[in-house]
Amino acid sequence: EARQPRHQVNIGGSAALGALTAQPNLPKPAKLLLGVGFCGAFTTFSTFSCDVVAMIEAGAVGKAATYVALNNVGSIGAALGAYRLRVATLPLTPRQSRRS
């Protein structure tokens, strides 16, 4: 039997990393520390990978494929959504204007 799904943690970590990446005034070392350190430790890709292998070995190939798709599409979508949301909420400088 496969372990508890981990896609929720991976999607949440991807959203956090997307928002972090959009921070314009955060120094690069801080982005690396928070991105690799916090978000990297928070997400559980290696455990997720072992869960997929366990599903395949148990003959649940369709379930494994669905789990991979949910995790990957969800994580990428969360990162993109959080990045765009953060960029959209940044204060404008006098020379910038919002697109209509």
Side-chain angles (χ1 to χ4, degrees), residues 1-92:
E1 181 177 332
R3 295 182 192 107
Q4 187 73 9
R6 288 171 181 64
H7 63 276
Q8 300 97 334
V9 174
N10 290 335
I11 291 169
S14 295
L17 187 56
L20 176 67
T21 301
Q23 295 298 322
N25 297 324
L26 192 62
K28 188 173 182 175
K31 282 186 182 182
L32 287 172
L33 175 67
L34 293 170
V36 175
F38 174 74
C39 294
F42 179 65
T43 59
T44 57
F45 190 77
S46 58
T47 305
F48 160 78
S49 300
C50 289
D51 289 346
V52 172
V53 169
M55 288 178 206
I56 292 169
E57 289 295 310
V61 176
K63 182 177 179 179
T66 300
Y67 189 44
V68 168
L70 177 63
N71 182 76
N72 293 351
V73 171
S75 294
I76 293 167
L80 178 63
Y83 178 86
R84 287 189 174 168
L85 179 63
R86 179 62 189 124
V87 167
T89 59
L90 288 172
L92 295 176

